Every structure is written in structure tokens, then in C-alpha cells.
């Protein structure tokens, strides 16, 4: 069975850091890109970042560029999202998802392109 297990969310003060993890299983990790999305209450799900497992290429939303870093450990089939300088507006449920082709700037933000989704992990940033 395909599984994407997101973890690492929590409560943090503004300016703090968190690292999210997305552990994948049940598919050929190297053939997929992994994206991180987030959804705040009352808002649409938005793309945050993605990484292609094949070549390590990365993309970021403008709102997180310079603060978030996505990385991949292909040996562990795990993608990480290091989030620094967190702001209250980063508060959301964060989801990881897998798509069966390299990601690009469009793929990063297109929910319907993704084949598999994890369950989400809540990040709350207090002011």
C-alpha cells in the first residue's frame, strides 16, 4: 500500500523553527517528486515547496522562499521541510504529496497533479 506519513508539526512561537518529515512507502521513491502543501482554516490548499527525487531540483512559493528548505534522503525515502523564521501566517495543516514526474513551479502549486497524499500535520505559530 502507498503511504505518506507526515510528522513534525507542533506549536512554536513566531521566529522559531520546525522540521517536518514525510516518510514514503509503497512506490518507487526515485520516480516521484514530493511536494508540501498547506491549508489554513477557511483557505484553499496552497503549494509550499517540492523536490524531485531524481535530480534534487527544488521549488518554493514566494511566501516561504529564504525561510523554508526542502531536502530529500532517498536512502530513507523521506523528504524534510525545514521551516525557519516562522510567522503566524504560516499556521496551517501541512500535507505532503507525491507526483509521478519531476516537479516544476507549476506542479508545486497544482493540487490535482498529485497522485498520493499524506494525512497532514498541524503547525501553529503563535505571535
Amino acid at each position: 500500500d502507498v503511504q505518506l506519513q507526515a510528522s513534525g508539526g507542533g506549536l512554536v512561537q513566531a521566529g522559531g523553527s520546525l522540521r517536518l518529515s514525510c516518510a514514503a512507502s509503497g512506490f518507487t521513491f526515485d520516480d516521484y517528486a514530493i511536494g508540501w502543501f498547506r491549508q489554513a482554516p477557511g483557505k484553499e490548499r496552497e503549494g509550499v515547496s517540492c523536490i524531485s527525487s531524481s535530480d534534487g531540483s527544488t521549488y518554493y512559493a514566494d511566501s516561504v522562499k529564504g525561510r523554508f528548505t526542502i531536502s530529500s534522503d532517498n536512502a530513507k525515502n523521506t523528504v524534510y521541510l525545514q521551516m525557519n523564521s516562522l510567522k503566524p501566517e504560516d499556521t496551517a495543516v501541512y500535507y505532503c504529496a507525491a507526483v509521478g514526474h519531476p516537479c516544476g513551479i507549476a506542479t508545486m502549486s497544482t493540487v490535482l497533479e498529485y497522485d498520493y497524499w499524506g494525512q497532514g500535520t498541524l503547525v501553529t505559530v503563535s505571535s
Side-chain angles (χ1 to χ4, degrees):
D1 289 351
V2 171
Q3 285 194 343
L4 290 169
Q5 184 73 33
S7 62
L11 173 64
V12 64
Q13 288 189 331
S17 298
L18 282 174
R19 188 177 81 155
L20 305 184
S21 299
C22 176
S25 62
F27 60 92
T28 305
F29 188 75
D30 290 354
D31 292 342
Y32 282 74
I34 302 295
W36 284 99
F37 287 77
R38 66 186 181 186
Q39 188 164 19
K43 294 189 176 182
E44 291 188 355
R45 193 167 297 189
E46 64 171 348
V48 174
S49 183
C50 68
I51 185 168
S52 296
S53 302
S54 57
D55 64 3
S57 55
T58 59
Y59 298 85
Y60 297 92
D62 288 343
S63 59
V64 307
K65 204 170 291 183
R67 300 187 297 122
F68 290 11
T69 303
I70 192 169
S71 61
S72 178
D73 185 337
N74 287 21
K76 295 182 178 180
N77 287 4
T78 300
V79 169
Y80 304 97
L81 186 68
Q82 178 67 44
M83 306 186 297
N84 298 329
S85 302
L86 283 161
K87 305 175 181 180
E89 52 263 43
D90 294 318
T91 295
V93 177
Y94 283 70
Y95 300 89
C96 61
V99 58
H101 58 74
C103 69
I105 193 67
T107 300
M108 183 199 71
S109 56
T110 307
V111 170
L112 293 178
E113 283 203 38
Y114 286 76
D115 303 303
Y116 309 117
W117 288 84
Q119 84 291 358
T121 184
L122 177 62
V123 172
T124 304
V125 184
S126 64
S127 57

